[in-house]
């Protein structure tokens, strides 16, 4: 039975717990299994859509049950696939959970199954983006001694990178801001990090030309611009003239990421 | 004195001291998993993290600088040699500590790679570098990645102390023979360099292998014989190690697990050889590299195409860095570490240099056609590794997959085998694979085989590399 042909759908609110609740509902349903969709997606002509309410307790219970069955590494892949935001990745992830519940982690190794392959590809994409983000996030020191890093990741990577930055910058008070999704990871020394929606940095006077993530210099720590300049100086000095290879450089770090990189921009 | 002249601020110093440090090839920040300490800043990531990519395409992960580019030595290949007329600068240890922390907190860097010209004497220079390292670790409680370059000739105690604070310490051999060392880097002696390597091996719990005189190794490479100065520590230029002999680097390393969380030198020691600043053949370079792996448990040997740094009559005025040669040496080095090859299998006295058109594994296979084709359904792991187009990953996949079912030619591509190359050298229980995109039978000694196995490296790299005539017979 191809579940895609079945018009009954379960809609979630787009949040991770909401998604898990819709998955729980789908796991309880008998064949034909209803498809899990985002509430934002347009309703199909013959679709009968049921909205599933977000219930964090229920989501956590499902997560724990599946983790016991499939193990943490497999569930990490599930989370990564969800965060990839690739079209179909969420629906495919929801349907893979059924196999995970039955077969455990082995289900994810069956790359001959197109749904598993799709989940695997989506997860890989998010993982790569997260790895890249750990390298290219750039923090600025603000006048109050806290730190701010704007990001524009293709996937929703904040939950995947927060632990890394919290461990590395343990003594720092910082915000890791996803400009595209308006969310931020907030970290205070000695406390667990927090994910906040609708975050925005209060700017004194937004400068239209400065581009995304730019901060008014009045908000910056007094040394910030000087240190950025030092870094640019270092970066320029470090390329070997006899071996210049801009093609290779752009292959490693696509230009769309350049606008948030201190060394590639001015100011 | 140094860098204290009027107008020399941190910006000016950084430009000079980063520029002078950039020729060292090692950008690796991996191999260490230093934990963050309570209240401390930073940690190590086992896989290493690239933070940016410079205009030459290299990964930028470490702040690579010199403590000072003033140097009392006069190595011909080096911009910082005392006879070269360049502006000099030096950081105060405290200045550099500030810079590291400022960069690290902004996530510009994964850590530091600190080197220095020789200030006065080796020990004095080492002490200054250790002061930076210790201040970072103890006062700043910084746990980022720290690579220190040891100065040849520094005392074993200082080398050990450096090993205590750093994730990795390296000392560059640079010249591949004693004669070249004497000519090109007259202030350095083999004993000064290899003495540091021995101390580093010991610091990380590896008893260095004994080096025996090169005499009586006919059929090996004609290397310069060690002189009397070769007492202890003996120069490893002598191409012979105490038994067991004939083991590959891969086999020798098997019993030595890496501990990224280890407190002392978790990322081990590395070294670098300059390619093209002296007349040694690839065979000499690879034999030396193999000895360094075996004798001192060096983690990586880096090969650096010589970039002429101003005119010095002791080194050739190359038209450009020998990048293709560097590339082939890296490929051969890879065969040591992951494929179980020995240096004398890759090259020998009759074949002193690597093939410019073929990767060294293809070249080896074409010279040993009597060992092929091999049957992927029966060959053991090490035999599989010898097949061009099969690497460690696809070899282990083959071993796993064939336990379930007999492999057919069609199933190999999905296991990661590069059929374009492997087709010439394998069968599947008698079934001969076809060449992808060709109707020809894959016959390795056919005239078209060599062309089919040629890779694009020469096209990509050779325009930048021109031959230099050493004027030798
Ligand atoms: S000792 Fe080092 S810095 Fe000094 S000239 Fe030789 S290679 Fe250059």
């Amino acid at each position: 039975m191809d579940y895609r042909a079945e018009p009954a759908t379960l809609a979630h609110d787009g949040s991770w717990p909401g998604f898990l609740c819709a998955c729980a509902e789908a796991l309880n349903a008998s064949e034909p299994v209803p498809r899990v969709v985002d509430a934002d997606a347009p309703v199909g002509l013959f679709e009968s859509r049921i909205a599933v309410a977000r219930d964090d307790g229920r989501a956590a219970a499902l997560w724990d049950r599946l983790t016991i069955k499939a193990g943490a590494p497999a569930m990490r892949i599930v989370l990564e696939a969800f965060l990839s935001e690739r079209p179909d990745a969420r629906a495919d992830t929801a349907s893979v959970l059924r196999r995970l519940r039955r077969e455990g982690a082995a289900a994810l190794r069956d790359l001959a199954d197109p749904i598993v392959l799709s989940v695997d590809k989506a997860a890989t994409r998010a993982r790569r983006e997260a790895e890249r983000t750990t390298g290219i996030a750039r923090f600025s020191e603000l006048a109050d001694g806290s730190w701010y890093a704007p990001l524009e990741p293709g996937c929703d990577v904040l939950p995947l990178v927060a632990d890394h930055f919290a461990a590395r910058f343990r003594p720092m008070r910082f915000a890791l801001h996803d400009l595209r999704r308006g969310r931020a990871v907030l970290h205070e020394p000695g406390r667990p990090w927090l994910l906040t929606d609708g975050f925005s940095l209060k700017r004194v006077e937004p400068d239209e030309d400065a581009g995304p993530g730019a901060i008014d210099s009045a908000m910056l720590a007094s040394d910030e611009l000087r240190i950025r300049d030092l870094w640019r100086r270092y970066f320029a000095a470090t390329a070997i003239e006899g071996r210049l290879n801009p093609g290779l450089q752009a292959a490693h770090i696509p230009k769309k990421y350049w606008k948030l990189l201190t060394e590639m921009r001015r100011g | 004195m140094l860098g204290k002249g009027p107008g020399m601020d941190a910006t000016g110093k950084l430009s000079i001291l980063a520029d002078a440090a950039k020729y060292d090839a090692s950008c690796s920040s991996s191999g260490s998993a230093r934990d963050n300490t309570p209240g401390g800043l930073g940690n190590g990531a086992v896989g290493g993290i690239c933070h940016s990519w410079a205009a030459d395409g290299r990964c930028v992960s470490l702040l690579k600088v010199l403590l000072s580019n003033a140097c009392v030595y006069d190595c011909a290949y080096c911009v910082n040699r005392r006879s070269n007329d360049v502006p000099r600068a030096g950081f105060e240890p405290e200045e550099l500590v500030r810079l590291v922390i400022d960069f690290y907190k902004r996530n510009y860097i994964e850590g530091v790679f600190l080197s220095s010209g020789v200030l006065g004497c080796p020990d004095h220079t080492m002490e200054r570098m250790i002061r930076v390292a210790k201040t970072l670790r103890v006062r700043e409680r910084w746990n980022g990645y720290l690579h220190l370059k040891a100065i040849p000739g520094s005392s074993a105690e200082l080398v050990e102390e450096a090993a205590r604070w750093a994730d990795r310490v390296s000392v560059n051999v640079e010249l591949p023979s004693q004669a070249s060392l004497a000519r090109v880097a007259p202030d350095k002696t083999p004993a000064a360099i290899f003495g540091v390597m021995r101390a580093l091996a010991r610091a990380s719990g590896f008893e260095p292998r004994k080096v025996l005189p090169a005499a009586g190794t006919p059929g090996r490479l004609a290397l310069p014989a060690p002189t009397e100065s070769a007492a202890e520590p003996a120069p490893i230029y002598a191409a012979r190690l105490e038994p067991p002999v004939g083991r590959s680097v891969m086999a020798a390393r098997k019993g030595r697990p890496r501990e990224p969380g280890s407190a002392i030198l978790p990322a081990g020691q590395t070294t670098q050889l300059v390619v093209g600043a002296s007349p040694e053949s690839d065979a000499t370079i690879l034999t030396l590299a193999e000895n360094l792996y075996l004798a001192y448990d060096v983690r990586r040997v880096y090969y650096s195409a010589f970039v002429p740094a101003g005119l010095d009559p002791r080194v050739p005025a190359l038209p450009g860095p020998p990048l293709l040669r560097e590339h082939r040496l890296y490929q051969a080095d890879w065969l040591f570490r992951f494929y179980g090859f020995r240096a004398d299998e890759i090259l020998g006295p009759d074949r002193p240099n690597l093939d410019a058109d073929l990767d060294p594994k293809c070249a080896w296979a074409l010279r040993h056609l009597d060992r092929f084709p091999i049957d992927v359904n029966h060959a053991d792991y090490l035999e599989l590794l010898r097949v061009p187009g099969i690497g460690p990953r696809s070899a282990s996949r083959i071993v796993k997959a064939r336990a379930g079912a007999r492999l057919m030619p069609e199933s190999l591509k999905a296991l990661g085998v590069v059929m374009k190359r492997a087709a010439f050298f394998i069968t599947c229980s008698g079934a001969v694979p076809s060449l992808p995109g060709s109707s020809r039978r894959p016959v390795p000694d056919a005239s078209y085989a060599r062309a089919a196995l040629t890779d694009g490296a020469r096209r990509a790299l050779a325009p930048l590399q021109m031959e230099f005539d050493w004027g030798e017979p």
Side-chain angles (χ1 to χ4, degrees):
Chain A
M1 178 78 211
D2 181 1
Y3 72 95
R4 283 169 202 263
E6 171 54 46
T9 57
L10 298 168
H12 61 87
D13 63 356
S15 71
W16 170 237
F19 169 74
L20 286 177
C21 291
C23 291
E25 200 69 43
L27 285 172
N28 290 337
S30 54
E31 306 269 350
V33 180
R35 198 168 135 80
V36 170
V37 297
D38 201 302
D40 288 349
V43 184
L45 196 52
F46 300 104
E47 180 181 333
S48 75
R49 183 175 286 190
I50 302 157
V52 180
R54 168 173 170 171
D55 172 349
D56 290 13
R58 186 180 187 198
L62 175 65
W63 184 255
D64 290 346
R65 261 201 326 279
L66 288 173
T67 306
I68 290 166
K69 175 73 190 170
M75 298 312 285
R76 174 97 183 170
I77 293 174
V78 168
L79 173 63
E80 286 164 346
F82 172 84
L83 295 173
S84 75
E85 297 185 350
R86 269 170 66 104
D88 289 338
R90 293 184 173 181
D92 290 343
T93 306
S95 82
V96 152
L97 291 186
R98 223 177 162 80
R99 283 195 64 184
L100 266 184
R101 185 178 62 175
R102 205 170 48 229
E103 304 158 44
L108 289 184
R109 286 192 286 273
D110 179 15
L111 297 181
D113 176 342
I115 308 278
V116 176
L117 186 67
S118 149
V119 168
D120 190 75
K121 277 197 177 141
T124 304
R125 206 177 100 101
R127 194 176 321 125
R128 294 244 168 87
E129 180 97 41
E131 275 159 15
R132 190 200 301 276
T133 304
T134 59
I136 66 173
R138 294 287 177 265
F139 287 79
S140 299
E141 187 173 21
L142 304 182
D144 66 357
S146 68
W147 299 81
Y148 172 72
L151 303 170
E152 281 189 321
C155 307
D156 185 9
V157 295
L158 286 186
L160 299 176
V161 301
D163 281 343
H164 167 83
F165 285 110
R168 175 157 292 197
F169 298 130
R170 199 175 292 178
M172 288 160 51
R173 195 172 153 235
F174 69 76
L176 205 54
H177 186 186
D178 182 338
L179 299 170
R180 193 175 280 180
R181 296 170 190 79
R183 320 170 71 191
V185 164
L186 303 179
H187 175 263
E188 298 268 2
R191 291 203 218 140
W193 53 266
L194 272 174
L195 196 59
T196 328
D197 279 319
F199 180 86
S200 80
L201 191 69
K202 287 175 231 64
R203 299 181 188 200
V204 178
E205 229 173 83
D207 178 351
E208 289 295 318
D209 302 334
I215 312 158
D216 191 282
S217 55
M219 282 189 69
L220 294 173
S222 57
D223 242 7
E224 179 60 29
L225 293 177
R226 187 185 64 85
I227 291 163
R228 286 186 194 171
D229 194 57
L230 271 174
W231 170 242
R232 269 182 220 117
R233 203 62 81 95
Y234 172 75
F235 187 78
T238 196
I240 297 180
E241 294 84 5
R243 310 183 68 148
L244 290 191
N245 194 341
L248 186 58
Q249 180 188 34
H252 284 306
I253 178 81
K255 296 217 169 161
K256 66 176 176 190
Y257 294 99
W258 287 22
K259 59 181 188 282
L260 289 176
L261 280 175
T262 316
E263 57 273 29
M264 303 294 192
R265 59 189 274 174
R266 298 161 54 193
Chain B
M1 229 203 78
L2 292 178
K4 289 182 185 158
M8 185 65 91
D9 59 355
T11 312
K13 288 183 187 177
L14 184 60
S15 298
I16 293 175
L17 295 167
D19 193 69
K22 68 187 174 190
Y23 296 101
D24 210 299
S26 162
C27 77
S28 166
S29 61
S30 58
S32 174
R34 201 171 277 274
D35 254 345
N36 197 339
T37 45
L41 175 69
N43 52 12
V46 186
I49 294 176
C50 279
H51 286 252
S52 196
W53 287 265
D56 56 11
R58 291 188 309 167
C59 148
V60 178
S61 154
L62 304 177
L63 171 63
K64 219 181 254 190
V65 291
L66 302 183
L67 199 48
S68 161
N69 74 334
C71 187
V72 297
Y73 284 8
D74 203 34
C75 311
Y77 53 81
C78 175
V79 261
N80 307 320
R81 64 186 183 275
R82 71 165 181 266
S83 61
N84 199 21
D85 184 20
V86 290
R88 306 286 174 171
F91 282 116
E92 288 305 314
E94 201 53 49
E95 234 174 349
L96 189 54
V97 166
R98 211 40 279 143
L99 193 65
V100 171
I101 299 293
D102 283 342
F103 280 8
Y104 193 81
K105 284 185 163 176
R106 285 165 179 78
N107 205 39
Y108 296 164
I109 54 171
E110 196 61 17
V112 193
F113 180 175
L114 182 59
S115 180
S116 182
V118 183
L119 292 161
C121 70
D123 276 355
H124 174 71
T125 316
M126 260 338 268
E127 273 164 10
R128 280 178 74 89
M129 291 168 71
I130 288 170
R131 194 171 335 148
V132 173
K134 192 172 166 184
T135 310
L136 281 169
R137 291 289 195 232
V138 179
R139 196 191 69 202
E140 301 290 332
R141 291 196 280 179
W142 177 75
N143 301 296
Y145 187 88
L146 179 58
H147 180 165
L148 292 179
K149 187 119 272 181
I151 309 293
S154 16
S155 70
E157 295 77 66
L158 288 176
V159 171
E160 270 159 37
E161 167 146 30
R164 203 154 49 241
W165 305 120
D167 293 283
R168 166 171 281 178
V169 180
S170 58
V171 59
N172 284 357
V173 174
E174 306 288 22
L175 277 312
S177 78
Q178 189 158 3
S180 290
L181 183 71
R183 189 168 43 82
V184 177
D187 309 285
K188 293 179 184 166
T189 62
I193 296 170
F194 299 120
V196 171
M197 296 186 97
R198 295 175 72 83
L200 286 171
R202 288 216 170 93
S204 56
F206 179 89
E207 187 49 35
R209 296 268 299 276
K210 268 233 176 51
V211 179
L212 306 174
T217 51
R220 302 285 298 207
L221 308 162
L223 287 174
T227 61
E228 322 68 67
S229 71
E232 271 289 294
I236 196 90
Y237 291 133
R240 206 153 75 87
L241 294 180
E242 190 186 44
V245 287
R247 272 165 98 202
S248 72
V249 174
M250 188 172 86
R253 282 178 163 195
K254 259 218 177 93
R256 195 166 151 68
R258 305 298 185 199
E259 288 163 38
S262 134
I264 292 183
L265 231 47
Q269 66 166 316
T270 59
T271 190
Q272 173 174 293
L273 296 168
V274 196
V275 180
S278 55
E280 289 79 11
S281 65
D282 292 342
T284 307
I285 292 175
L286 285 177
T287 306
L288 172 60
E290 180 175 65
N291 280 345
L292 294 171
Y293 282 122
L294 293 173
Y296 302 134
D297 193 35
V298 167
R299 201 69 65 93
R300 280 290 303 268
V301 175
Y302 291 90
Y303 306 86
S304 172
F306 173 55
V307 180
L311 291 176
D312 188 302
R314 293 169 294 169
V315 285
L318 298 180
L323 295 176
L324 179 59
R325 211 181 150 197
E326 178 193 283
H327 175 69
R328 293 288 181 226
L329 285 167
Y330 272 116
Q331 288 180 317
D333 186 87
W334 205 257
L335 296 183
F336 290 164
R337 292 181 296 131
F338 303 110
Y339 289 79
F341 276 77
R342 295 190 322 266
D344 60 2
E345 293 181 281
I346 301 171
L347 292 172
D350 49 325
R351 225 182 12 264
N353 288 305
L354 295 168
D355 196 311
D357 291 311
L358 295 174
D359 78 66
K361 195 171 144 190
C362 271
W364 177 86
L366 288 176
R367 288 197 312 270
H368 292 87
L369 288 180
D370 52 313
R371 299 174 60 154
F372 296 103
I374 72 148
D375 182 347
V376 293
N377 283 312
H378 291 102
D380 66 26
Y381 176 76
L382 287 178
E383 286 174 311
L384 288 171
L385 277 184
R386 296 269 163 163
V387 178
I390 296 181
R393 195 181 286 170
S394 45
S396 39
R397 285 205 194 120
I398 287 174
V399 172
K400 238 178 261 156
R402 75 186 179 194
R406 177 182 293 191
L407 296 176
M408 295 312 289
E410 307 77 63
S411 36
L412 294 177
K413 186 164 176 262
L415 298 174
V417 177
V418 183
M419 291 304 285
K420 184 165 78 115
R421 263 172 273 151
F424 289 99
F425 303 98
I426 55 173
T427 68
C428 298
S429 309
V432 180
S434 58
L435 263 182
S438 164
S439 53
R440 287 200 254 224
R441 261 175 72 81
V443 182
D445 42 5
S447 56
Y448 70 89
R450 190 182 155 91
L453 292 167
T454 295
D455 64 14
R458 189 208 271 268
R459 217 177 19 213
L461 298 171
L464 304 167
Q465 167 181 337
M466 278 164 266
E467 292 302 319
F468 179 77
D469 182 8
W470 288 97
E472 298 207 340

